[in-house]
Amino acid sequence: QSVLTQPPSASGTPGQRVTISCSASSSDIGRNTVTWYQQFPRTAPKLLIYSNKERPSGVPDRFSGSKSDTSASLTISGLQSEDEAVYYCSAWDDGLNGPVFGGGTQLTVL
Amino acid sequence: QVQLRESGPGLVKPSETLSLTCNVSGYSISTGSYWGWNRLSPGKGLEWIGGFYHGGTALYNPSLKARVTMSADTSKNHFSLKLKSVTAADTAVYFCARWIVFGSGSNWFDSWGPGTLVTVSS
């Protein structure tokens, strides 16, 4: 089973650009697309980015995703206080025959 | 707009069966989409439990496959999860979701229920 590794925490001040990384232990990310979810306390995860860089309707364009080989990144430009949340990456795991999630990154807006 | 909501007991005794239902509105579960279950726990983080395409084969996380059953009732537009022989390690917030799956390895959960906490304890 592939493991997706994220930093447990990240922080930034309002207006800054913050990047959260997601690194795969196998080549699954290279072959498959990456999804990012945003979760606020006591709520369900919300789809933020799919197919590496696509944003669902309603997601601000200051959220962007990218992928390269076995790693992916979520970048938040013009950080806002309401962006404080936990962010998870996910990708299809061929061995699992299903999705695997990263451990999540707690983003703090200072 | 599709909406999902989980329901079921919040407390299950060890060795018993956890049973949850996901009620779906705004979209028919028999219309071209996968449906899935995930859970979130402090120890394991977010974990995919499994999912199915109505009329198709269910996919289960191999680590849970021996204990999991999923089913659907299209007349009620809901689907269900059963997890047998539970232990404290199954204590988690359980989410149902609409699951978009493409054969090319692309997948995402685009609509989630609010989640329901299930505690395994005697």
Side-chain angles (χ1 to χ4, degrees):
Chain A
Q1 177 178 331
S2 178
V3 173
L4 299 180
T5 301
Q6 300 179 236
S9 64
S11 63
T13 56
Q16 270 191 330
R17 184 169 70 178
V18 171
T19 297
I20 297 172
S21 63
C22 174
S23 177
S25 62
S26 75
S27 57
D28 282 350
I29 281 192
R31 285 193 299 273
N32 303 320
T33 65
V34 174
T35 304
W36 290 90
Y37 300 94
Q38 176 191 56
Q39 186 181 31
F40 298 108
R42 294 172 299 282
T43 67
K46 169 192 166 186
L47 179 64
L48 196 64
I49 297 285
Y50 66 96
S51 294
N52 302 327
K53 59 180 177 63
E54 302 300 322
R55 286 186 308 275
S57 173
V59 173
D61 61 6
R62 54 200 181 78
F63 290 93
S64 62
S66 65
K67 190 194 84 170
S68 176
D69 295 327
T70 58
S71 67
S73 296
L74 172 70
T75 297
I76 309 171
S77 303
L79 193 64
Q80 298 184 6
S81 58
E82 63 250 38
D83 298 333
E84 189 162 289
V86 178
Y87 294 85
Y88 295 93
C89 63
S90 177
W92 188 269
D93 183 322
D94 294 337
L96 200 66
N97 201 26
V100 63
F101 294 94
T105 298
Q106 171 67 61
L107 174 63
T108 301
V109 182
L110 303 170
Chain B
Q1 180 184 355
V2 60
Q3 292 187 313
L4 303 94
R5 181 165 293 274
E6 307 85 355
S7 62
L11 181 64
V12 181
K13 290 182 168 55
S15 80
E16 295 191 346
T17 297
L18 177 161
S19 295
L20 296 175
T21 296
C22 181
N23 290 283
V24 180
S25 60
Y27 194 91
S28 171
I29 64 171
S30 60
T31 307
S33 191
Y34 281 79
W35 304 91
W37 291 93
N38 300 306
R39 67 182 183 180
L40 177 64
S41 62
K44 295 183 180 179
L46 256 181
E47 182 180 26
W48 171 69
I49 300 172
F52 69 96
Y53 183 92
H54 179 64
T57 305
L59 300 174
Y60 298 135
N61 188 319
S63 68
L64 299 169
K65 185 175 182 178
R67 299 193 291 132
V68 171
T69 304
M70 293 182 185
S71 60
D73 185 335
T74 55
S75 67
K76 296 180 180 177
N77 210 42
H78 74 204
F79 59 100
S80 300
L81 167 71
K82 290 187 186 300
L83 179 66
K84 64 182 182 181
S85 305
V86 298
T87 69
D90 295 310
T91 294
V93 178
Y94 286 74
F95 300 96
C96 60
R98 186 172 68 177
W99 188 21
I100 308 300
V101 180
F102 292 101
S104 57
S106 288
N107 85 107
W108 56 89
F109 298 94
D110 71 341
S111 297
W112 297 62
T116 187
L117 173 62
V118 179
T119 301
V120 178
S121 175
S122 54

